[in-house]
Amino acid sequence: MRDRINAKVKQAMRDKDSEQLGTLRLINAAIKDRDIAARSEGNHDGVSDEEILKVLARMIKQRRESAKAYEEGGRLELAEKEINEISIIEQFLPKQLSDEELQVAVKKAISETGAESIRDMGRVMGVLKTNYTGQMDFGKAGGTVKEMLSC
């Protein structure tokens, strides 16, 4: 994962694509930040690809919230910048699950955990986050889980 990101940084430098380069540098900074935190926890090798996916997913979530706030505030040029950054970050995430695939994944997680009521939602979401990090919008998944457990 790190190699793919660094290769994209080099390509952006060659192409003189300042927007993409800036976003890629933000990605690297976030990963290095997480590496430093991992070292203080005793992990001297840095974070795994799975942890990098979590960092990228967090970055996308932050940008979506910012874009929404900018749109509500009438700052469309800033919202557009955030949306462009999201598309650059998404290049490194696995393919997102479709709505049908999301439904199947939630049903599978419910059966794996033996969840029967809304009180078991945390366990189901834990399984989904473990198995599908970077592949689904967990906000949407939470609504689906709640809907299925309410029936």
Side-chain angles (χ1 to χ4, degrees):
M1 181 71 80
R2 291 173 197 264
D3 294 338
R4 282 182 52 210
I5 293 169
N6 289 328
K8 284 281 193 179
V9 167
K10 290 175 187 173
Q11 187 62 46
M13 287 174 151
R14 278 187 225 114
D15 296 344
K16 294 182 176 35
D17 186 347
S18 61
E19 185 177 328
Q20 186 166 21
L21 183 60
T23 302
L24 293 168
R25 285 183 171 156
L26 286 172
I27 292 171
N28 272 334
I31 292 170
K32 285 179 184 169
D33 232 17
R34 191 64 197 105
D35 281 342
I36 291 168
R39 275 190 223 116
S40 69
E41 297 166 0
N43 180 359
H44 298 290
D45 298 332
V47 294
S48 66
D49 281 355
E50 184 177 311
E51 188 67 29
I52 291 173
L53 288 175
K54 288 179 184 177
V55 168
L56 295 176
R58 194 173 318 115
M59 290 178 76
I60 288 176
K61 181 180 178 188
Q62 290 168 342
R63 275 150 188 78
R64 282 194 178 122
E65 290 170 358
S66 296
K68 183 179 177 187
Y70 287 140
E71 284 176 5
E72 289 172 358
R75 305 287 310 269
L76 298 180
E77 69 283 351
L78 293 174
E80 187 176 319
K81 182 180 183 287
E82 296 290 330
I83 292 168
N84 289 338
E85 286 184 4
I86 290 171
S87 67
I88 293 168
I89 297 168
E90 284 178 336
Q91 296 173 17
F92 302 102
L93 293 176
K95 181 186 150 291
Q96 296 291 300
L97 296 178
S98 68
D99 288 341
E100 295 81 30
E101 292 169 324
L102 178 96
Q103 297 273 337
V104 170
V106 169
K107 284 178 186 172
K108 182 179 173 192
I110 289 172
S111 67
E112 276 180 29
T113 59
E116 296 175 0
S117 72
I118 202 77
R119 283 187 241 132
D120 302 320
M121 186 171 169
R123 285 189 294 154
V124 174
M125 291 302 291
V127 168
L128 290 173
K129 287 183 179 181
T130 301
N131 296 334
Y132 299 99
T133 298
Q135 295 180 322
M136 70 170 58
D137 176 0
F138 290 108
K140 188 188 288 185
T144 304
V145 170
K146 191 179 282 187
E147 182 182 310
M148 287 184 178
L149 291 176
S150 296
C151 297

